[in-house]
Amino acid sequence: MEQEQQTILVSAPNKPGEAFIRQLKFGSIPFAVIVSNKAEQTRLQELGAERIVMVDTNEENTWLVPEWPVGKVFLFENSLTLCCRYIRICRTWTSEPLYVITQSNHPRLIYKGLGANYVIHTNSGEVSFLIHSAHE
């Protein structure tokens, strides 16, 4: 029996996240995006995202596991609160590595304590190096 390929899950509320999505599309790497509102959903659909997971971050009973296997998770931080909620949601969906990519100085231990495997700080917003992590 053939196992379905895992799908990378991305939260892309900012330019580095959008750049990462473009790189995934360019490399034909299967991905989905997680969003918490219609405006973000529309923006990411216009960017080319086809698989979209909409969650109400305030209602845990809406945090249903997607029907496809979730692989690695890449959360681009725009808000400490939203990123923390996404970690809590996504950590239950996969045992694969969960990456938080941030430009802020929020303490890494907050994200690690919630289940992030890697917290990557970038001042430039350059994230092309992450594609190698997505491939592995």
Side-chain angles (χ1 to χ4, degrees), residues 9-13 33-38 40-41 43-44 52-58 63 73-94 98-100 111 114-116:
L9 188 60
V10 182
S11 162
V33 295
I34 185 169
V35 299
S36 62
N37 61 64
K38 284 282 193 194
E40 191 174 17
Q41 178 180 356
R43 182 178 60 80
L44 293 174
I52 297 177
V53 179
M54 172 76 80
V55 294
D56 179 343
T57 59
N58 294 314
W63 302 353
V73 178
F74 293 85
L75 302 175
F76 289 82
E77 181 212 47
N78 214 29
S79 149
L80 174 68
T81 304
L82 184 59
C83 192
C84 288
R85 288 184 180 167
Y86 278 163
I87 293 170
R88 284 187 53 218
I89 294 167
C90 297
R91 186 73 282 166
T92 64
W93 293 352
T94 185
L98 192 152
Y99 299 77
V100 172
Y111 296 135
L114 289 171

Side-chain angles (χ1 to χ4, degrees), residues 1-134:
M1 186 172 159
E2 194 173 315
Q3 187 176 354
E4 188 178 354
Q5 184 176 3
Q6 290 183 332
T7 301
I8 291 170
L9 188 60
V10 182
S11 162
N14 51 30
K15 296 292 182 200
E18 291 175 1
F20 186 66
I21 285 176
R22 284 189 201 92
Q23 291 170 354
L24 291 171
K25 282 194 67 66
F26 181 76
S28 300
I29 300 169
F31 73 95
V33 295
I34 185 169
V35 299
S36 62
N37 61 64
K38 284 282 193 194
E40 191 174 17
Q41 178 180 356
T42 302
R43 182 178 60 80
L44 293 174
Q45 281 173 323
E46 290 170 356
L47 198 61
E50 295 171 11
R51 277 191 170 167
I52 297 177
V53 179
M54 172 76 80
V55 294
D56 179 343
T57 59
N58 294 314
E59 291 294 326
E60 282 193 49
N61 61 342
T62 67
W63 302 353
L64 304 176
V65 179
E67 296 176 7
W68 31 266
V70 176
K72 294 178 181 176
V73 178
F74 293 85
L75 302 175
F76 289 82
E77 181 212 47
N78 214 29
S79 149
L80 174 68
T81 304
L82 184 59
C83 192
C84 288
R85 288 184 180 167
Y86 278 163
I87 293 170
R88 284 187 53 218
I89 294 167
C90 297
R91 186 73 282 166
T92 64
W93 293 352
T94 185
S95 59
E96 292 292 320
L98 192 152
Y99 299 77
V100 172
I101 300 89
T102 181
Q103 293 179 317
S104 75
N105 291 320
H106 293 132
R108 295 173 188 264
L109 291 178
I110 292 172
Y111 296 135
K112 293 264 192 177
L114 289 171
N117 299 90
Y118 304 100
V119 179
I120 299 166
H121 190 273
T122 175
N123 287 326
S124 68
E126 171 56 43
V127 294
S128 60
F129 64 92
L130 288 173
I131 285 297
H132 301 295
S133 298

